[in-house]
Amino acid sequence: MVNTEIPNHYTASPSSFSGTPHLTINRDVTLDLDSTNAFEGPEKLLEVWFSASSTSLPATTSPAGLKVVPSEVWKEMLDLVNCKVLSVVESELVDAYLLSESSMFVFPHKLILKTCGTTTLLRGLPRILEIAALAAGFPHSVADQTLGTGTAARPYRVFYSRKNFLFPDRQHGPHRSWRDEVKSLDKLFLGGSAYMIGKMNGEHWYLYLTEPNTILTPPATPERNKTETKSLKLTESETCFTACGAYNDDQDETLEVLMTDLEPESANRFYLDHASAVAEGRYYQELHAARNDAEAHMGDINSIKSNGIHCKAAKLSTGRLKTIDENNDVFSNTSSDPADLMDSDSEMLTFPEELTTEGHALGTVVSESSGLADVYPTSKYPDARIDAYLFTPCGFSANGVIPAPNGPDATHYFTVHVTPEPNCSYASFETNVPSKQTGRETADVIEQVVNIFKPGRFSVTLFEGNKPDVEDEDINGEVETANKIKALEKQVARKNSRLDQIRGYRRVDRIVHDLEGYELVFKYYERFDWEGGSPRLGEAGF
């Protein structure tokens, strides 16, 4: 059903109960958003872990960890990044912030911040470390005042990554080049490692990460060697394995699908005019069905009861009848919509403003009509909630909060961002919902997402906590080294075989790299009928 209104002082979905995610909307920020200049789709992605898991927080920290930090404190930090909060989905284990430029997820033990456009993400990192220390109570130490903070929490691990930019010359601060970004991170952390993954003259992806139990760079540290960016380009038969450090969460995995050159028809769904037409069409069909039902059962209409929702009716001077649903919910995937019931002599129809202007209502329409809401359907994830927003004149962002169904006490997320303009079309999909939980192969999720956008080409990055599923143990309960390596090789080969077979696409590039505690898979694909030429590289090399 089409959702058309956000009730005054809306703070939660009517279906929100204890333990169920609920939504808060920042009305002030949503008034004047315009995506006309949102030219740089590829996002900067920062993940800061302050503990190995939410169940192993330091004794000095609140049991809720980072989630005790008030939203106003995070908003102040985001001012440094140059983005605003549109709305927040709160749940017991994660708070999902939908931003004017992408998303932020706050768990008890980690923060994920993803921003697009010309945002200055790394400028917010010193403040994040300070907030974790002072507001959440994580162990901390004295930091370099020149970095913008005198107190900084000691992170467990830090990950920063992004795809090559299309327009690097338009970036600000440390984001004008990968070299500058690495230099900025090295000022904060000792022992970081930087990688360029993929072809220097083709599609590639950058990654910076620290080792477990990250060490902060001390104040007034003497001149030291800069972190060298390592270029990873392995042939199809090569796989890199190293000794793995212990990791607490064997289900930790993050999948990113980064898509460019979207099929025009698919990209058109993410324009306001197209979404409005879809919503108005649905609105009219539902209105027409409701009128026919009312005429068949009630004749002279005085009140209507539709789909279990009571509506009040009021005669208008024109002879039209207007019904107002008093319990609308832009957040529900199955909510009722208000209807304007017209008499049989009138062809005039006034659509609610929410169906013709940017916002959460049309965001929900796009989420449902495009098929994004079906990636993790409510039939399997009944407590899942999607918070979506459609921009003017085009552009789309959505966060999904996915509590584990009938399983462990865990909540995961997915996030989608779309820049549909033909000169720089781009879409990204990211999730940490474990494949074991979905019961589907990772390749099946990728195929479902790719089929929505039909990109000319796309890259996949898959991070997984590398605890191989091995049953062969010796009498002392320890897995032999040879069996561990053999099992890991089989696991990688099986996964790679399926990931190489994305329908409609040929896999062009593949890299598998083992990082401490994680396995990283990077793959690049092109559509079989793609005739767009070489990748548009605004940024090449380091």
Side-chain angles (χ1 to χ4, degrees):
M1 304 290 284
V2 179
N3 309 300
T4 63
E5 288 190 359
I6 303 170
N8 291 333
H9 310 299
Y10 186 94
T11 58
S13 164
S15 63
S16 295
F17 300 98
S18 177
T20 300
H22 63 274
L23 172 71
T24 301
I25 294 173
N26 185 348
R27 291 179 175 277
D28 294 336
V29 172
T30 62
L31 292 178
D32 299 310
L33 286 175
D34 191 319
S35 66
T36 303
N37 297 317
F39 54 87
E40 186 69 75
E43 303 97 343
K44 313 164 185 83
L45 175 59
L46 174 69
E47 233 179 278
V48 186
W49 292 54
F50 294 96
S51 178
S53 72
S54 60
T55 58
S56 60
L57 298 177
T60 59
T61 308
S62 162
L66 294 173
K67 281 177 50 51
V68 302
V69 178
S71 61
E72 293 302 318
V73 175
W74 293 126
K75 291 176 183 177
E76 173 267 331
M77 179 275 296
L78 291 169
D79 286 341
L80 301 173
V81 180
N82 292 308
C83 59
K84 301 293 183 182
V85 175
L86 302 181
S87 52
V88 186
V89 180
E90 297 177 342
S91 68
E92 183 178 356
L93 295 177
V94 60
D95 294 336
Y97 289 73
L98 194 64
L99 308 179
S100 55
E101 285 85 8
S102 300
S103 302
M104 181 173 75
F105 298 90
V106 180
F107 294 81
H109 64 300
K110 66 180 179 180
L111 178 141
I112 300 171
L113 180 56
K114 186 171 192 171
T115 65
C116 62
T118 56
T119 51
T120 50
L121 186 151
L122 291 179
R123 287 182 179 173
L125 180 52
R127 179 62 178 144
I128 291 171
L129 300 178
E130 184 178 49
I131 290 171
L134 301 181
F138 282 93
H140 56 275
S141 59
V142 176
D144 191 340
Q145 287 282 1
T146 62
L147 300 178
T149 179
T151 303
R154 297 189 293 271
Y156 173 70
R157 292 200 82 166
V158 176
F159 303 84
Y160 175 71
S161 63
R162 64 171 176 84
K163 182 184 177 296
N164 53 289
F165 288 137
L166 294 175
F167 311 102
D169 56 309
R170 302 183 187 180
Q171 294 295 321
H172 302 296
H175 299 290
R176 290 185 180 275
S177 73
W178 177 244
R179 182 181 289 105
D180 289 346
E181 290 172 313
V182 172
K183 183 178 179 181
S184 177
L185 289 161
D186 278 348
K187 287 181 179 179
L188 287 168
F189 311 115
L190 288 175
S193 298
Y195 301 89
M196 191 197 78
I197 302 170
K199 298 177 180 178
M200 292 181 65
N201 61 345
E203 292 286 343
H204 53 269
W205 185 74
Y206 296 105
L207 170 67
Y208 181 98
L209 76 164
T210 64
E211 297 177 350
N213 301 308
T214 300
I215 301 174
L216 295 172
T217 300
T221 170
E223 186 68 25
R224 59 192 177 90
N225 294 331
K226 298 178 180 178
T227 299
E228 178 185 356
T229 297
K230 305 165 188 175
S231 179
L232 301 184
K233 180 65 186 78
L234 310 182
T235 63
E236 294 183 17
S237 62
E238 290 180 305
T239 307
C240 177
F241 296 99
T242 62
C244 304
Y247 188 72
N248 284 6
D249 188 353
D250 61 358
Q251 278 201 325
D252 182 56
E253 63 182 73
T254 301
L255 168 69
E256 270 194 295
V257 185
L258 310 176
M259 298 162 277
T260 58
D261 303 290
L262 311 183
E263 182 187 65
E265 183 177 346
S266 300
N268 195 42
R269 299 172 181 170
F270 301 92
Y271 279 79
L272 190 144
D273 288 346
H274 184 276
S276 183
V278 171
E280 290 172 358
R282 289 184 175 184
Y283 184 91
Y284 177 80
Q285 291 175 354
E286 293 164 8
L287 180 151
H288 186 68
R291 183 179 66 184
N292 289 343
D293 182 69
E295 289 176 347
H297 292 87
M298 306 180 71
D300 182 23
I301 307 173
N302 291 313
S303 63
I304 302 168
K305 183 178 181 181
S306 176
N307 293 331
I309 302 293
H310 290 276
C311 301
K312 62 182 181 181
K315 283 280 187 180
L316 303 183
S317 59
T318 59
R320 288 183 291 167
L321 193 66
K322 184 177 181 66
T323 64
I324 304 173
D325 181 352
E326 297 181 308
N327 200 23
N328 289 311
D329 177 13
V330 302
F331 205 27
S332 171
N333 289 331
T334 56
S335 63
S336 183
D337 78 302
D340 282 353
L341 294 185
M342 302 165 57
D343 59 37
S344 58
D345 296 326
S346 176
E347 295 299 328
M348 298 294 295
L349 181 61
T350 302
F351 294 103
E353 182 181 1
E354 289 80 5
L355 297 189
T356 59
T357 58
E358 72 167 63
H360 290 84
L362 283 182
T364 300
V365 169
V366 172
S367 177
E368 295 174 349
S369 63
S370 67
L372 286 168
D374 298 325
V375 177
Y376 299 110
T378 54
S379 58
K380 182 175 178 61
Y381 301 92
D383 292 326
R385 291 293 179 266
I386 299 176
D387 178 17
Y389 195 97
L390 186 70
F391 296 89
T392 299
C394 61
F396 173 83
S397 288
N399 287 340
V401 175
I402 316 293
N406 304 318
D409 186 16
T411 298
H412 301 94
Y413 71 89
F414 77 86
T415 183
V416 178
H417 303 283
V418 185
T419 302
E421 294 94 328
N423 64 318
C424 55
S425 64
Y426 172 83
S428 68
F429 173 88
E430 178 187 344
T431 184
N432 73 339
V433 179
S435 56
K436 291 181 179 179
Q437 179 177 302
T438 66
R440 294 188 293 169
E441 293 280 350
T442 300
D444 295 330
V445 176
I446 295 172
E447 281 186 351
Q448 185 174 359
V449 171
V450 167
N451 191 52
I452 292 171
F453 298 98
K454 297 180 174 60
R457 42 195 155 207
F458 68 95
S459 300
V460 167
T461 64
L462 177 63
F463 263 104
E464 288 187 296
N466 53 6
K467 284 188 175 182
D469 185 13
V470 184
E471 295 182 356
D472 297 332
E473 297 187 0
D474 60 21
I475 58 174
N476 296 319
E478 296 180 355
V479 180
E480 296 180 358
T481 302
N483 286 340
K484 182 185 296 186
I485 294 175
K486 183 178 180 181
L488 186 55
E489 288 174 338
K490 288 182 178 179
Q491 193 173 331
V492 170
R494 182 169 58 250
K495 183 186 308 174
N496 281 338
S497 176
R498 179 64 183 91
L499 285 175
D500 283 347
Q501 301 172 27
I502 303 300
R503 284 174 289 185
Y505 291 83
R506 67 184 183 95
R507 196 263 304 151
V508 177
D509 208 1
R510 178 179 71 186
I511 297 170
V512 180
H513 189 67
D514 196 65
L515 306 168
E516 188 169 3
Y518 285 94
E519 177 190 271
L520 167 65
V521 177
F522 171 87
K523 301 207 175 194
Y524 168 64
Y525 306 79
E526 291 183 356
R527 204 170 62 220
F528 284 127
D529 62 352
W530 173 246
E531 297 178 353
S534 301
R536 294 175 294 176
L537 296 178
E539 179 181 18
F542 304 151

